[in-house]
Amino acid sequence: MDDYPNRDKRRFPPKKKGARRGGWKPPTKKPAGRREQGWDKVAAWYDQLVGKNGSDYHQHVVLPAAIDLLGSLKDKRVLDLCCGQGVLFPNLMEAGAKEVRGIDASPQLIAAARSRFEDDPRVKVLVDDACSEKNDWADGSFDTVASLMAVHDVPDLPAMCRNISSSLKEGGEFVAIFMHPCFRIPRQTHWGWDEGRKLQYRRVDRYGVDLEIPIITHPGKGGGETTSFYHRPLAEVMNAIGGAGLAVTRCEELISHRRSQAGGSRSKGEHRAAKEFPMFLALKAVKLPG
């Protein structure tokens, strides 16, 4: 079972000689308005990996959950924030959206989205930073905002949440799916095996502090390109959402569809653990009056 599928197959940079254990330091307080760097430097790799229809995790876990949470979008204007190459677009349109606006900080991923959906007049895409305080898309005209696998990819979550709230009409809904902040922290959560109890367990080494973790995006192929994973405790995520005037109305914890090979000496314990420890967290929120 994969321990870290976010943006689907990334690995951790090797620890430098003499570095402290873990290879990085918790981030210092970032200046207000720090921009999202986006995925442009690894866009070609990511687009090839995920493509139009999504990765294995998209197809079996993330997209089905998003479809369920979003529900009918008949005649609604939908903003897909940090949309990448538009993997959610077909589902939004199948749900009845009359207009889909995609925003992403990567020009290359937006170009990929545009090339795939340029013939559909319902789809409009734009290169911009989800955390930017100066934009013309957070205008209160959207019925729904969706954001898949992006909460942990932006450096300024409160700013992103404020933009989401500003984008929505009163009573509009926001749906987000992201790596579970309690159980899926790169380098800080691991599987372990208790031979005496024949039990696979989840070990959490760190949780309660913010971490900015560099991730190598395509290991084994050279280049050493990295992106950043921003771990935040669950309370911090919830407070960023609530602080923006959004009230969470539904929460789902999503388990992996993958299982170890049946018949192995540990397969029963591994199967049980896969059902006990969720991989993703899915939230639905509504914009409050005022």
Side-chain angles (χ1 to χ4, degrees):
M1 292 179 291
D2 285 356
D3 188 57
Y4 182 64
N6 178 50
R7 296 271 190 179
D8 304 289
K9 289 184 179 178
R10 302 189 286 180
R11 297 293 185 269
F12 316 120
K15 184 172 69 172
K16 295 181 180 179
K17 186 177 181 179
R20 57 179 284 179
R21 187 183 181 195
W24 80 94
K25 296 179 180 179
T28 56
K29 185 175 180 60
K30 302 175 183 63
R34 178 178 175 183
R35 290 183 61 81
E36 177 193 359
Q37 295 180 350
W39 285 64
D40 214 46
K41 58 187 176 181
V42 296
W45 163 81
Y46 183 62
D47 186 45
Q48 183 179 14
L49 176 69
V50 176
K52 182 177 180 178
N53 298 317
S55 69
D56 183 43
Y57 278 103
H58 279 99
Q59 293 176 25
H60 291 93
V61 182
V62 175
L63 290 175
I67 293 166
D68 177 50
L69 287 169
L70 288 164
S72 174
L73 298 174
K74 183 174 175 58
D75 296 328
K76 292 184 178 181
R77 296 188 74 236
V78 182
L79 174 65
D80 186 352
L81 196 56
C82 304
C83 66
Q85 65 273 71
V87 67
L88 184 60
F89 291 177
N91 301 105
L92 297 175
M93 293 182 287
E94 288 173 10
K98 69 176 181 180
E99 181 184 336
V100 174
R101 175 71 63 87
I103 305 291
D104 199 278
S106 168
Q108 289 193 55
L109 288 177
I110 285 294
R114 186 174 289 118
S115 69
R116 290 187 173 111
F117 299 98
E118 61 185 354
D119 294 332
D120 194 317
R122 293 173 293 175
V123 176
K124 299 178 182 178
V125 294
L126 175 69
V127 177
D128 205 353
D129 175 12
C131 305
S132 173
E133 296 180 359
K134 296 181 179 180
N135 62 73
D136 56 7
W137 44 267
D139 58 1
S141 65
F142 292 95
D143 301 287
T144 303
V145 176
S147 186
L148 301 188
M149 303 305 291
V151 163
H152 37 56
D153 289 335
V154 298
D156 191 344
L157 183 59
M160 178 182 175
C161 290
R162 289 193 296 269
N163 280 337
I164 290 166
S165 183
S166 296
S167 300
L168 287 167
K169 299 175 181 177
E170 185 177 305
E173 295 180 327
F174 167 51
V175 169
I177 300 178
F178 50 99
M179 294 289 287
H180 202 301
C182 300
F183 302 108
R184 300 284 170 173
I185 310 168
R187 290 189 176 178
Q188 300 303 319
T189 54
H190 316 273
W191 290 116
W193 180 257
D194 185 328
E195 182 62 31
R197 300 176 65 192
K198 304 297 181 184
L199 177 73
Q200 182 166 271
Y201 59 86
R202 193 70 175 159
R203 193 184 87 193
V204 180
D205 294 339
R206 299 182 72 180
Y207 166 76
V209 298
D210 288 7
L211 297 171
E212 179 178 348
I213 306 171
I215 308 296
I216 293 178
T217 54
H218 38 355
K221 295 187 178 181
E225 293 92 344
T226 64
T227 59
S228 291
F229 182 104
Y230 297 93
H231 164 70
R232 304 170 179 94
L234 180 59
E236 187 172 333
V237 175
M238 299 298 288
N239 287 336
I241 294 171
L246 301 165
V248 173
T249 59
R250 185 175 169 188
C251 174
E252 301 288 343
E253 295 178 293
L254 310 177
I255 65 172
S256 172
H257 65 293
R258 294 183 179 179
R259 297 293 182 271
S260 61
Q261 186 174 356
S265 61
R266 297 184 178 184
S267 61
K268 184 176 180 180
E270 289 174 345
H271 291 178
R272 176 182 177 183
K275 296 178 181 179
E276 291 288 344
F277 297 101
M279 177 171 287
F280 306 104
L281 185 64
L283 300 175
K284 185 173 186 176
V286 62
K287 182 176 179 178
L288 298 173

